[in-house]
Amino acid sequence: MTDLAPHELRILVAVDEEQSFTAAATRLGTSQSAVSHAVRACEGKLGAVLFARGRHGARPTEAGARAVAYARRILRLLDAMGPEVRGAGTDGPLTGTLRIAAFRSAAAHLLPAVLAGLAERHPGLATRVRIVREIGRGTAGEVADGRADLGLATLDADGPPPVPGLVAARLYEESYALAHPQGHPAPRELPLVDWDENCGSYTRDWWQRQDWIPPATVDVEDDTVALSLVAQGLGMAIMPRTALLGAPTGLAVTDLGPRPPSRFVGYVTTPELAGTAAVRALIRELREVRLPTGLAPAARPAAGQPSSSSSPSATASLSATASLSATASRSVRNSPASASRV
């Protein structure tokens, strides 16, 4: 028998999050020996060492991190199965919890109206929002690792989702602008206050063509800190429009010319969750919400191309559950499904 049982998946997740067999046992209300035995059984079934044991606890190996990601996603589908089955063929209010990952500016300026609309239609549906820096795997990584059902992510103009195996769709496009102290006669001559999340593949080419941008004199992790420094006269910054909404007093914003850099913002989710009622309801709100000033709705796919409006059915979602289970049981060395867009 090579299938992993739900209780084994929960043990893998608990060990990963607690980084200790003993702490995982306490969390699950079982013994440390039972956790250790279950992990060894999982390693035997999957044919890979999942955790490195040592004085500092248990740390997932590369194979273990992949196994835990599959475990979270499978457990999430098992949680969704009951509501999905009971709600089949009905349009009634939804219940349960919806997990969202978003970078700060999207969470601050887009999500409030979206969640208000969702709460009005589905008062029994709770939401949990996790703020994630859009660096590296960013919000897409939270979705791929099973920590979020849907992520608001920055998307390349033509490329696949930031993390393979996810489905993605654009929501809006935002341009970049120059933020500088009010009244400064030559803002482009000021020192650069840079922000860690600022230069992605969507701005890199434009950035390299600009001979007027100096090296950064201040580098910060948070966009609000960068803007506060600029408002105090410490330099200028090049920022996306959502980051400039609600800018502090003393800050001015100037366009970067007729062809400024821009980026797309959209959502990412997993193929198996894309057809669940709660995720479909959230996508509907994201599509219908009124965008803040300065943001342009992204063009929908052309006729004949895949679209997020044609989400997989609940049956397809349950089939994806079986597929994920089989994949995890065969080998955690296999990569997730190839990237796709909706």
Side-chain angles (χ1 to χ4, degrees):
M1 176 65 70
T2 58
D3 291 342
L4 272 65
H7 78 275
E8 292 176 309
L9 301 179
R10 293 187 179 94
I11 286 173
L12 293 181
V13 171
V15 172
D16 175 71
E17 293 179 353
E18 300 294 339
Q19 298 191 343
S20 162
F21 284 21
T22 302
T26 300
R27 168 173 156 178
L28 297 172
T30 188
S31 66
Q32 188 272 344
S33 60
V35 169
S36 180
H37 176 77
V39 170
R40 286 198 302 270
C42 291
E43 290 176 330
K45 292 176 181 180
L46 295 173
V49 175
L50 303 181
F51 293 96
R53 290 83 153 168
R55 291 181 302 168
H56 302 293
R59 301 292 187 270
T61 63
E62 183 177 349
R66 187 166 296 179
V68 170
Y70 276 121
R72 284 197 186 96
R73 288 168 64 169
I74 294 167
L75 290 171
R76 183 56 174 163
L77 282 176
L78 292 175
D79 289 341
M81 184 183 295
E84 285 293 305
V85 171
R86 290 190 295 272
T90 69
D91 294 320
L94 303 175
T95 58
T97 301
L98 189 59
R99 307 168 306 159
I100 304 166
F103 56 94
R104 189 211 63 83
S105 58
H109 301 295
L110 184 69
L111 273 186
V114 169
L115 297 186
L118 195 65
E120 182 178 353
R121 291 175 174 81
H122 306 285
L125 182 63
T127 52
R128 193 165 71 226
V129 179
R130 180 182 176 94
I131 307 301
V132 178
R133 297 178 68 201
E134 195 67 342
I135 292 178
R137 298 170 79 238
T139 57
E142 296 295 298
V143 174
D145 291 344
R147 295 186 179 91
D149 304 323
L150 181 143
L152 293 177
T154 54
L155 304 175
D156 286 344
D158 301 309
V163 176
L166 303 180
V167 292
R170 301 174 187 171
L171 293 170
Y172 61 86
E173 183 178 9
E174 60 177 341
S175 61
Y176 281 67
L178 180 68
H180 57 88
Q182 284 183 352
H184 196 282
R188 292 193 176 206
E189 297 177 6
L190 288 168
L192 174 66
V193 177
D194 205 5
W195 158 53
D196 287 351
E197 298 177 49
N198 206 20
C199 189
S201 57
Y202 30 82
T203 62
R204 190 173 295 116
D205 290 345
W206 177 89
W207 201 282
Q208 292 174 348
R209 294 196 303 269
Q210 311 306 307
D211 57 8
W212 59 273
I213 301 178
T217 56
V218 180
D219 197 352
V220 299
E221 291 185 355
D222 187 88
D223 54 350
T224 59
V225 174
L227 294 179
S228 294
L229 295 175
V230 170
Q232 291 297 316
L234 295 177
M236 57 83 175
I238 298 169
M239 308 287 283
R241 288 287 179 177
T242 49
L244 296 170
L245 295 172
T249 302
L251 193 81
V253 177
T254 301
D255 289 340
L256 286 169
R259 298 182 63 186
S262 65
R263 68 178 184 180
F264 289 101
V265 175
Y267 66 80
V268 294
T269 187
T270 61
E272 65 270 14
L273 286 177
T276 59
V279 170
R280 291 202 312 269
L282 176 58
I283 291 172
R284 188 176 304 113
E285 295 296 334
L286 287 167
R287 289 290 190 190
E288 295 177 357
V289 72
R290 182 175 180 180
L291 294 175
T293 302
L295 307 184
R300 296 292 184 91
Q305 293 182 347
S307 168
S308 61
S309 61
S310 56
S311 299
S313 65
T315 301
S317 296
L318 296 179
S319 297
T321 309
S323 176
L324 269 176
S325 301
T327 303
S329 297
R330 285 195 300 269
S331 173
V332 293
R333 295 188 180 92
N334 292 335
S335 298
S338 59
S340 58
R341 283 187 176 273
V342 292

XYZ file of all heavy atoms in Angstrom, residues 63-136:
540
model
N 12.583 17.332 -0.987
C 11.471 16.412 -1.239
C 10.373 16.602 -0.201
O 9.179 16.550 -0.515
C 11.978 14.969 -1.216
N 10.769 16.830 1.057
C 9.780 17.025 2.115
C 8.948 18.271 1.908
O 7.732 18.266 2.136
N 9.592 19.358 1.473
C 8.842 20.590 1.225
C 7.794 20.374 0.134
O 6.670 20.873 0.218
C 9.810 21.705 0.824
N 8.163 19.602 -0.891
C 7.202 19.330 -1.955
C 6.075 18.428 -1.456
O 4.899 18.632 -1.782
C 7.923 18.684 -3.141
C 7.042 18.513 -4.366
C 7.868 18.204 -5.582
N 8.751 19.313 -5.926
C 9.598 19.299 -6.951
N 9.683 18.221 -7.716
N 10.343 20.343 -7.207
N 6.427 17.434 -0.633
C 5.397 16.552 -0.086
C 4.416 17.322 0.793
O 3.204 17.106 0.735
C 6.052 15.427 0.720
N 4.936 18.238 1.606
C 4.068 19.024 2.491
C 3.142 19.928 1.669
O 1.971 20.116 2.010
C 4.915 19.844 3.478
C 4.047 20.838 4.236
C 5.620 18.920 4.467
N 3.661 20.498 0.586
C 2.813 21.332 -0.266
C 1.652 20.513 -0.833
O 0.496 20.961 -0.826
C 3.632 21.943 -1.399
N 1.941 19.312 -1.325
C 0.865 18.453 -1.805
C -0.091 18.105 -0.666
O -1.313 18.079 -0.847
C 1.447 17.162 -2.397
C 1.895 17.279 -3.832
C 3.222 17.010 -4.183
C 1.010 17.641 -4.836
C 3.642 17.102 -5.497
C 1.426 17.738 -6.150
C 2.741 17.470 -6.484
O 3.160 17.566 -7.784
N 0.457 17.828 0.512
C -0.387 17.456 1.650
C -1.364 18.570 1.987
O -2.564 18.323 2.212
C 0.488 17.121 2.856
N -0.873 19.794 2.035
C -1.772 20.914 2.349
C -2.877 21.031 1.307
O -4.040 21.277 1.640
C -0.979 22.224 2.397
C -0.138 22.421 3.638
C 0.267 23.880 3.775
N 1.193 24.059 4.872
C 2.516 24.099 4.735
N 3.064 23.956 3.530
N 3.288 24.278 5.777
N -2.515 20.903 0.044
C -3.512 21.077 -1.011
C -4.551 19.958 -0.987
O -5.750 20.201 -1.192
C -2.809 21.169 -2.371
C -2.073 22.493 -2.530
C -1.125 22.517 -3.717
N -1.812 22.387 -4.996
C -1.219 22.585 -6.171
N 0.067 22.919 -6.207
N -1.895 22.444 -7.296
N -4.108 18.736 -0.728
C -5.058 17.625 -0.664
C -5.987 17.790 0.541
O -7.199 17.602 0.435
C -4.301 16.283 -0.606
C -3.560 16.052 -1.924
C -5.262 15.132 -0.323
C -2.548 14.927 -1.857
N -5.430 18.160 1.691
C -6.261 18.363 2.877
C -7.256 19.497 2.657
O -8.400 19.437 3.139
C -5.372 18.661 4.089
C -4.539 17.482 4.603
C -3.546 17.956 5.659
C -5.452 16.395 5.178
N -6.832 20.519 1.935
C -7.760 21.626 1.655
C -8.924 21.145 0.803
O -10.079 21.541 1.023
C -7.014 22.752 0.937
C -7.856 23.985 0.660
C -8.450 24.527 1.927
N -9.144 25.786 1.719
C -10.017 26.299 2.589
N -10.293 25.656 3.709
N -10.609 27.442 2.340
N -8.664 20.278 -0.161
C -9.745 19.750 -0.989
C -10.676 18.846 -0.181
O -11.888 18.850 -0.388
C -9.163 18.987 -2.176
C -8.641 19.860 -3.311
C -8.009 18.998 -4.378
C -9.747 20.708 -3.906
N -10.109 18.092 0.731
C -10.963 17.268 1.597
C -11.879 18.154 2.446
O -13.043 17.828 2.661
C -10.100 16.377 2.485
C -9.322 15.267 1.770
C -8.416 14.541 2.749
C -10.271 14.282 1.091
N -11.340 19.290 2.932
C -12.173 20.234 3.676
C -13.283 20.805 2.805
O -14.400 21.046 3.267
C -11.319 21.389 4.209
C -10.395 20.962 5.340
O -10.660 19.910 5.951
O -9.411 21.688 5.607
N -12.974 21.038 1.530
C -13.944 21.648 0.627
C -14.974 20.657 0.110
O -16.032 21.063 -0.385
C -13.221 22.297 -0.558
N -14.678 19.379 0.201
C -15.552 18.379 -0.411
C -16.973 18.428 0.150
O -17.954 18.415 -0.609
C -14.972 16.979 -0.223
C -15.782 15.883 -0.922
S -15.123 14.231 -0.616
C -13.536 14.345 -1.414
N -17.108 18.490 1.487
C -18.443 18.496 2.076
C -19.296 19.655 1.600
O -20.392 19.447 1.056
N -18.837 20.918 1.786
C -19.622 22.057 1.288
C -19.903 21.999 -0.210
O -20.986 22.369 -0.655
C -18.744 23.262 1.644
C -17.939 22.805 2.803
C -17.671 21.352 2.559
N -18.919 21.527 -0.993
C -19.123 21.451 -2.440
C -20.211 20.442 -2.791
O -21.070 20.697 -3.638
C -17.812 21.058 -3.130
C -16.784 22.160 -3.201
C -17.218 23.293 -4.110
O -17.539 23.037 -5.280
O -17.259 24.433 -3.626
N -20.198 19.299 -2.134
C -21.194 18.269 -2.422
C -22.576 18.709 -1.945
O -23.575 18.583 -2.661
C -20.776 16.931 -1.771
C -21.908 15.907 -1.877
C -19.519 16.394 -2.438
N -22.645 19.251 -0.729
C -23.943 19.687 -0.197
C -24.530 20.841 -0.986
O -25.748 20.979 -1.097
C -23.795 20.079 1.275
C -23.539 18.893 2.206
C -23.645 19.318 3.650
N -22.600 20.267 4.025
C -21.405 19.909 4.478
N -21.087 18.625 4.596
N -20.504 20.823 4.823
N -23.648 21.687 -1.547
C -24.141 22.846 -2.286
C -24.307 22.618 -3.768
O -24.639 23.551 -4.505
N -24.098 21.386 -4.239
C -24.208 21.108 -5.673
C -25.602 21.427 -6.186
O -26.609 20.998 -5.616
C -23.867 19.643 -5.945
N -25.666 22.213 -7.250
C -26.943 22.543 -7.869
C -27.705 23.647 -7.179
O -28.847 23.941 -7.544
N -27.120 24.286 -6.164
C -27.796 25.380 -5.461
C -26.988 26.658 -5.601
O -25.793 26.634 -5.876
C -27.974 25.049 -3.967
O -26.680 25.042 -3.344
C -28.630 23.688 -3.782
N -27.649 27.772 -5.380
C -26.985 29.076 -5.417
C -27.092 29.774 -4.067
O -27.089 31.002 -3.992
C -27.617 29.965 -6.503
C -27.363 29.422 -7.902
O -26.240 28.942 -8.135
O -28.283 29.469 -8.734
N -27.182 29.006 -3.005
C -27.363 29.585 -1.686
C -26.087 30.184 -1.132
O -25.002 30.061 -1.709
N -26.192 30.846 0.026
C -25.017 31.454 0.664
C -23.970 30.396 1.009
O -24.288 29.268 1.366
C -25.590 32.102 1.932
C -27.050 32.270 1.659
C -27.437 31.120 0.783
N -22.722 30.788 0.926
C -21.607 29.887 1.186
C -21.146 30.008 2.631
O -21.313 31.054 3.266
C -20.447 30.208 0.250
C -20.746 30.157 -1.245
C -19.532 30.631 -2.048
C -21.139 28.745 -1.663
N -20.559 28.935 3.132
C -19.980 28.942 4.468
C -18.551 28.429 4.382
O -18.087 28.005 3.325
C -20.795 28.050 5.432
O -20.830 26.706 4.907
C -22.219 28.565 5.574
N -17.859 28.455 5.505
C -16.490 27.985 5.544
C -15.511 29.136 5.637
O -15.863 30.258 6.025
N -14.269 28.878 5.279
C -13.205 29.884 5.344
C -12.473 29.941 4.016
O -12.147 28.909 3.434
C -12.196 29.551 6.460
O -12.880 29.498 7.719
C -11.094 30.602 6.540
N -12.223 31.138 3.544
C -11.506 31.375 2.295
C -10.185 32.050 2.637
O -10.162 33.095 3.291
C -12.349 32.257 1.380
C -11.899 32.466 -0.066
C -11.799 31.145 -0.799
C -12.884 33.388 -0.775
N -9.083 31.462 2.188
C -7.751 31.969 2.519
C -7.173 32.725 1.321
O -7.082 32.188 0.231
C -6.836 30.818 2.924
C -7.393 29.930 4.042
C -6.572 28.665 4.179
N -6.484 27.969 2.896
C -5.538 27.073 2.599
N -4.615 26.768 3.486
N -5.528 26.485 1.417
N -6.776 33.968 1.567
C -6.294 34.852 0.504
C -4.895 35.338 0.853
O -4.630 35.740 1.988
C -7.231 36.068 0.336
C -8.670 35.610 0.084
C -6.746 36.971 -0.788
C -9.688 36.717 0.235
N -4.001 35.306 -0.119
C -2.670 35.902 0.024
C -2.610 37.116 -0.897
O -3.050 37.055 -2.049
C -1.574 34.900 -0.332
N -2.080 38.218 -0.398
C -2.009 39.441 -1.204
C -0.811 40.264 -0.786
O -0.389 40.223 0.370
C -3.286 40.270 -1.042
N -0.240 40.995 -1.733
C 0.805 41.945 -1.365
C 0.135 43.205 -0.822
O -1.056 43.450 -1.032
C 1.737 42.232 -2.542
C 1.073 42.730 -3.793
C 0.952 44.084 -4.048
C 0.579 41.824 -4.733
C 0.351 44.542 -5.215
C -0.021 42.271 -5.912
C -0.141 43.636 -6.136
N 0.881 44.023 -0.091
C 0.305 45.062 0.756
C -0.621 46.033 0.030
O -1.741 46.295 0.466
C 1.416 45.860 1.455
C 0.878 46.828 2.522
C 1.746 48.063 2.662
N 1.790 48.864 1.458
C 0.863 49.766 1.130
N -0.202 49.945 1.885
N 0.986 50.470 0.016
N -0.181 46.604 -1.093
C -0.986 47.637 -1.728
C -2.289 47.075 -2.288
O -3.336 47.725 -2.218
C -0.191 48.357 -2.825
O 0.260 47.446 -3.809
N -2.252 45.860 -2.830
C -3.493 45.249 -3.315
C -4.422 44.935 -2.152
O -5.646 45.117 -2.247
C -3.177 43.980 -4.108
N -3.856 44.473 -1.044
C -4.679 44.179 0.127
C -5.315 45.442 0.679
O -6.474 45.435 1.114
C -3.827 43.506 1.205
N -4.594 46.548 0.655
C -5.097 47.791 1.239
C -6.115 48.492 0.352
O -7.079 49.079 0.863
C -3.924 48.727 1.536
N -5.934 48.435 -0.962
C -6.740 49.280 -1.837
C -7.709 48.531 -2.742
O -8.588 49.151 -3.339
C -5.813 50.153 -2.691
C -4.906 51.027 -1.884
N -5.371 52.038 -1.076
C -3.554 51.004 -1.725
C -4.351 52.636 -0.470
N -3.245 52.016 -0.852
N -7.569 47.217 -2.849
C -8.488 46.443 -3.687
C -9.366 45.527 -2.846
O -10.579 45.446 -3.060
C -7.689 45.626 -4.705
C -8.520 44.829 -5.721
C -9.221 45.779 -6.687
C -7.637 43.851 -6.489
N -8.777 44.860 -1.879
C -9.511 43.838 -1.137
C -10.658 44.355 -0.283
O -11.676 43.662 -0.148
C -8.550 43.035 -0.260
C -7.866 41.837 -0.913
C -7.059 41.068 0.125
C -8.870 40.912 -1.583
N -10.574 45.528 0.349
C -11.699 45.937 1.207
C -13.050 45.933 0.496
O -14.026 45.390 1.016
C -11.293 47.346 1.660
C -9.795 47.297 1.670
C -9.424 46.461 0.490
N -13.130 46.505 -0.689
C -14.401 46.521 -1.424
C -14.787 45.119 -1.871
O -15.966 44.757 -1.873
C -14.290 47.456 -2.631
N -13.788 44.315 -2.251
C -14.064 42.939 -2.673
C -14.642 42.131 -1.523
O -15.663 41.436 -1.666
C -12.765 42.278 -3.203
C -12.962 40.783 -3.387
C -12.350 42.925 -4.524
N -14.032 42.230 -0.349
C -14.492 41.451 0.795
C -15.824 41.963 1.324
O -16.623 41.178 1.850
C -13.431 41.466 1.897
C -12.093 40.829 1.518
C -11.171 40.772 2.736
C -12.281 39.446 0.936
N -16.089 43.258 1.173
C -17.393 43.786 1.577
C -18.496 43.187 0.709
O -19.558 42.789 1.203
C -17.398 45.307 1.483
N -18.266 43.126 -0.604
C -19.251 42.518 -1.496
C -19.432 41.048 -1.222
O -20.553 40.517 -1.249
N -18.332 40.366 -0.930
C -18.406 38.934 -0.634
C -19.189 38.692 0.652
O -20.007 37.768 0.724
C -16.992 38.380 -0.518
C -16.817 36.863 -0.570
C -17.219 36.322 -1.938
C -15.364 36.494 -0.276
N -18.947 39.522 1.671
C -19.650 39.354 2.949
C -21.141 39.628 2.806
O -21.970 38.990 3.472
C -19.040 40.280 3.992
N -21.498 40.561 1.945
C -22.920 40.873 1.740
C -23.648 39.691 1.105
O -24.778 39.372 1.492
C -23.054 42.109 0.859
C -24.487 42.534 0.625
C -24.587 43.790 -0.209
O -23.536 44.414 -0.494
O -25.719 44.149 -0.590
N -23.013 39.036 0.149
C -23.644 37.907 -0.526
C -23.528 36.605 0.269
O -24.400 35.743 0.173
C -23.021 37.715 -1.915
C -23.354 38.823 -2.903
C -22.609 38.618 -4.217
N -23.000 39.561 -5.234
C -22.534 40.800 -5.324
N -21.649 41.234 -4.443
N -22.952 41.615 -6.284
N -22.436 36.477 1.012
C -22.177 35.216 1.723
C -21.737 35.522 3.159
O -20.548 35.383 3.496
C -21.107 34.408 0.991
C -21.412 34.155 -0.446
N -22.349 33.239 -0.864
C -20.915 34.737 -1.585
C -22.403 33.229 -2.188
N -21.549 34.132 -2.647
N -22.650 35.939 4.014
C -22.266 36.343 5.377
C -21.655 35.216 6.199
O -20.949 35.485 7.177
C -23.586 36.827 5.984
C -24.665 36.209 5.141
C -24.097 36.111 3.766
N -21.913 33.971 5.831
C -21.338 32.857 6.574
C -19.968 32.422 6.101
O -19.386 31.479 6.654
N -19.433 33.105 5.102
C -18.113 32.755 4.558
C -17.054 33.642 5.195
O -17.018 34.856 4.959
C -18.109 32.927 3.036
C -16.819 32.546 2.307
C -16.513 31.064 2.486
C -16.918 32.892 0.816
N -16.212 33.062 6.020
C -15.128 33.819 6.658
C -13.945 33.934 5.707
O -13.734 33.074 4.845
C -14.701 33.125 7.950
N -13.182 34.993 5.847
C -11.993 35.187 5.024
C -10.784 35.410 5.926
O -10.882 36.031 6.984
C -12.139 36.384 4.067
O -12.537 37.543 4.807
C -13.170 36.097 2.993
N -9.661 34.896 5.489
C -8.397 35.092 6.195
C -7.385 35.605 5.182
O -7.100 34.946 4.187
C -7.942 33.766 6.801
C -6.810 33.929 7.801
C -6.628 32.679 8.653
N -6.070 31.574 7.886
C -6.533 30.332 7.921
N -7.591 30.049 8.645
N -5.954 29.380 7.221
N -6.861 36.799 5.427
C -5.959 37.466 4.488
C -4.542 37.439 5.047
O -4.307 37.828 6.193
C -6.398 38.916 4.225
C -5.425 39.595 3.252
C -7.818 38.948 3.658
N -3.634 36.987 4.232
C -2.217 36.921 4.607
C -1.444 37.891 3.714
O -1.530 37.821 2.485
C -1.702 35.491 4.419
C -0.233 35.268 4.766
C 0.128 33.814 4.466
N 1.531 33.529 4.679
C 2.038 33.047 5.810
N 1.224 32.790 6.815
N 3.330 32.808 5.925
N -0.727 38.832 4.325
C 0.060 39.795 3.564
C 1.437 39.192 3.298
O 2.142 38.776 4.222
C 0.208 41.130 4.327
C -1.175 41.657 4.743
C 0.942 42.153 3.457
C -2.121 41.885 3.587
N 1.810 39.154 2.019
C 3.049 38.493 1.601
C 3.821 39.444 0.699
O 3.254 40.076 -0.200
C 2.738 37.187 0.830
C 4.016 36.527 0.347
C 1.940 36.234 1.714
N 5.117 39.552 0.940
C 5.944 40.388 0.071
C 6.047 39.738 -1.309
O 6.237 38.533 -1.434
C 7.327 40.568 0.683
C 7.309 41.304 2.017
C 8.697 41.396 2.588
N 9.533 42.258 1.781
C 10.853 42.226 1.783
N 11.496 41.332 2.508
N 11.554 43.054 1.031
N 5.929 40.546 -2.334
C 5.937 40.032 -3.706
C 7.365 39.950 -4.215
O 7.797 40.666 -5.143
C 5.051 40.937 -4.592
C 4.681 40.321 -5.920
C 3.752 39.104 -5.821
O 3.629 38.483 -4.738
O 3.147 38.783 -6.846
N 8.134 39.073 -3.559
C 9.527 38.802 -3.911
C 9.684 37.305 -4.054
O 9.096 36.536 -3.284
C 10.482 39.343 -2.834
C 10.464 40.873 -2.824
C 11.909 38.857 -3.068
C 11.352 41.477 -1.766
N 10.473 36.886 -5.027
C 10.644 35.455 -5.230
C 9.320 34.818 -5.651
O 8.662 35.264 -6.586
